[in-house]
Amino acid sequence: MRKKKNPVLEQLAVNAYAAGGKSIAKVEGKVVFVEGAVPGDVVDVRLSKNKKDWAEGKAIRFHAYSPERVTPFCEHFGICGGCKWQMLPYEKQLQYKQEEVEQQMKRIGKLNLPALMPIAGSAETTQYRNKLEFTFSSKKYFTEAEIATMEMPEEGPRGLPSIPALGFHVPGSFDKVIDIRQCHLQAEPSNAIRNQLREHALSQGYSFYDIRNHNGLLRNLMIRLCTTGDLMVNLVLGEEDKKAINGLMEFLRTSFPQISSLFYTVNRKFNDSLHDQSPVLYHGKAFAIEELGGKRFKVGPKSFFQTNTKQAEVLYSITKEFALLTGNEVVYDLYCGTGSIGIFVSDKAKKVIGVELIEEAIEDAKENVALNNIANAHFFAGDVAAVCHEEFFIEHGKPDVIITDPPRAGMHEKLVNQILAMRAPVVVYVSCNPATQARDLQLLGEAYEVTAIRPVDMFPHTHHIENVVQLKLKGNP
Ligand code: SAH
């Protein structure tokens, strides 16, 4: 039996932004969340969900375009998952992000909230990423527009040609890779490296990875460009072909002498994750140096570092300001990653204690402490909910300030209760998901008052939002 196609609602006037890239239209009292449209568009929407008082779907036909729209700057717009919001001017993106945080905070009806401070926009709206990861594929994914212009053979099989590609995944699909010619997210020589490597590989007849059959030589390409000028490249291969690998490494080394760390990694696993793989240093130094707020950070091929370095400095400055440090405080940096927030605030604290789940990140944090000759910051690996019990706080000092920067899921409730029990006078909550942050703030409201809120835009042209909240212990002078 053929599946019935989902219903289409016609001529919907989209009139507000909701969240996560979705906008809102209303039909007969029902709220419809629309993907792919912006306020001001008039669209037909194919529903994917249809409940009693709300529905969700995708814009499939445009009757009128919003006057807010601008022409996207990227040739890959519409298919690449990267900069999905370029049809809106940056000022509008900021306005909608500010409104989204405002809405999320308003949901916390029970708390008295201060007015939001204006969102801190990113000074650079293109070339702001320090790291990009590209994927090789034996079979390029063609857009409908590309297929429409193709000449199909009159006879014989009409399948699409197999052309290798190097670029990004189509959002949500593991096997569809689009060829990227120019990406605006990273400064040169990022595009030059990717494009020249692709040409070289094709001219030499090296195979591109086939994700369905799990074979092929060239698999992934990571490029990291630091604010210091350090340039790291890690080429990931699906086969250990020594001669080919050598040829590829020599090509990169001689074509791009500015590469300061050149790695290759052989990954024969079914997934692309490198956390359990061993990158091999072919040329240069084993790590890149990133600089943020006058501090230096060692970044290895597997290390995590905030992807927008300059805007991370803005985020950390707001965090530091909200922490109200005088130099006498014991500061906890929870979910600390490689310790960058703790290190950033360490010169205004008596002591910093960082906690993070990933052991390698804690090793990086310790290296970064040594690199910056910091004596008052200490880092511990473990699950925050398990590590941060009363004895831990007593052992390392009663917290004056707790900075917490959890992943999208927000804080574990056990940790929230521990923070409530520890009664640190100031808590600074840095979040990449205002919805879970709102939930946690509600719980913290038992003992804390929200005293400042400031959204930060780390990722222009995307729907991601970062939000920093300052909380003060109630009844504390
Ligand atoms: N504050 C850091 C990283 C924040 S990202 C920075 O600014 O760079 C969130 C971090 O939380 C990640 O490094 C992740 O590994 C860590 N994490 C996730 N769950 C955790 C848990 N249960 N306990 C400790 N750390 C956790």
Side-chain angles (χ1 to χ4, degrees), residues 304 306 316 335-337 340-341 356-358 382-384 405-407:
F304 170 82
Q306 289 275 350
Y316 291 177
Y335 304 91
C336 69
S340 40
I341 295 180
E356 157 66 40
L357 188 64
I358 313 277
D383 178 346
V384 282
D405 182 12

Side-chain angles (χ1 to χ4, degrees), residues 135-138 197-198 201-202 206-210 215-220 235-239 248:
T135 303
F136 291 88
S137 168
S138 58
L197 181 63
R198 180 201 295 109
L202 290 173
Y206 295 135
S207 58
F208 287 30
Y209 202 67
D210 179 340
N215 55 31
L217 179 68
L218 289 151
R219 192 161 174 176
N220 303 98
L235 181 64
V236 183
L237 304 134
E239 294 163 1
L248 287 158

Side-chain angles (χ1 to χ4, degrees), residues 50-250:
N50 199 359
K51 303 274 152 96
K52 200 166 131 250
D53 42 11
W54 65 275
E56 204 172 88
K58 233 183 191 161
I60 53 163
R61 208 168 299 118
F62 286 79
H63 296 281
Y65 284 112
S66 167
E68 285 178 1
R69 282 180 177 257
V70 291
T71 308
F73 52 79
C74 180
E75 61 181 294
H76 306 296
F77 176 76
I79 171 127
C80 175
C83 305
K84 281 186 172 172
W85 240 8
Q86 353 168 357
M87 73 289 225
L88 283 182
Y90 188 52
E91 286 309 313
K92 271 284 159 199
Q93 297 174 20
L94 291 178
Q95 182 196 322
Y96 289 146
K97 288 187 186 190
Q98 175 97 1
E99 284 172 15
E100 181 179 340
V101 174
E102 218 163 274
Q103 286 303 322
Q104 295 290 7
M105 296 293 125
K106 268 199 197 139
R107 284 198 306 122
I108 328 173
K110 279 188 272 167
L111 298 186
N112 285 324
L113 297 175
L116 259 71
M117 293 163 74
I119 184 167
S122 181
E124 279 158 15
T125 58
T126 57
Q127 305 195 338
Y128 60 79
R129 285 186 70 100
N130 53 35
K131 179 182 160 187
L132 283 181
E133 284 163 297
F134 301 101
T135 303
F136 291 88
S137 168
S138 58
K139 216 169 170 359
K140 169 182 146 94
Y141 176 73
F142 293 101
T143 63
E144 276 175 31
E146 283 173 317
I147 293 170
T149 62
M150 272 180 199
E151 278 188 35
M152 291 290 179
E154 304 248 319
E155 288 167 35
R158 288 177 53 97
L160 295 169
S162 280
I163 299 177
L166 171 56
F168 292 129
H169 284 276
V170 174
S173 41
F174 77 101
D175 61 342
K176 293 178 183 152
V177 174
I178 48 167
D179 225 12
I180 297 286
R181 296 291 157 166
Q182 199 196 355
C183 177
H184 299 266
L185 280 171
Q186 195 172 40
E188 290 302 334
S190 178
N191 285 299
I193 292 173
R194 188 195 58 251
N195 291 337
Q196 289 184 36
L197 181 63
R198 180 201 295 109
E199 292 317 309
H200 175 76
L202 290 173
S203 74
Q204 300 297 308
Y206 295 135
S207 58
F208 287 30
Y209 202 67
D210 179 340
I211 190 78
R212 292 196 169 272
N213 296 314
H214 287 289
N215 55 31
L217 179 68
L218 289 151
R219 192 161 174 176
N220 303 98
L221 171 69
M222 185 276 281
I223 301 175
R224 179 183 288 284
L225 180 57
C226 301
T227 50
T228 55
D230 274 2
L231 176 60
M232 177 180 283
V233 173
N234 183 19
L235 181 64
V236 183
L237 304 134
E239 294 163 1
E240 187 145 22
D241 179 340
K242 282 265 161 58
K243 192 161 162 258
I245 292 174
N246 217 51
L248 287 158
M249 289 289 104
E250 274 308 297

Side-chain angles (χ1 to χ4, degrees), residues 304-307 312 315-316 333-342 355-358 361 380-387 403-408 410 412 415 430 432 466:
F304 170 82
F305 195 82
Q306 289 275 350
T307 38
L315 179 75
Y316 291 177
D333 175 12
L334 306 183
Y335 304 91
C336 69
T338 48
S340 40
I341 295 180
V355 183
E356 157 66 40
L357 188 64
I358 313 277
F380 300 89
D383 178 346
V384 282
V387 171
I403 297 171
T404 180
D405 182 12
R408 287 190 64 76
H412 197 289
L415 180 67
V430 184
C432 53
E466 208 83 10

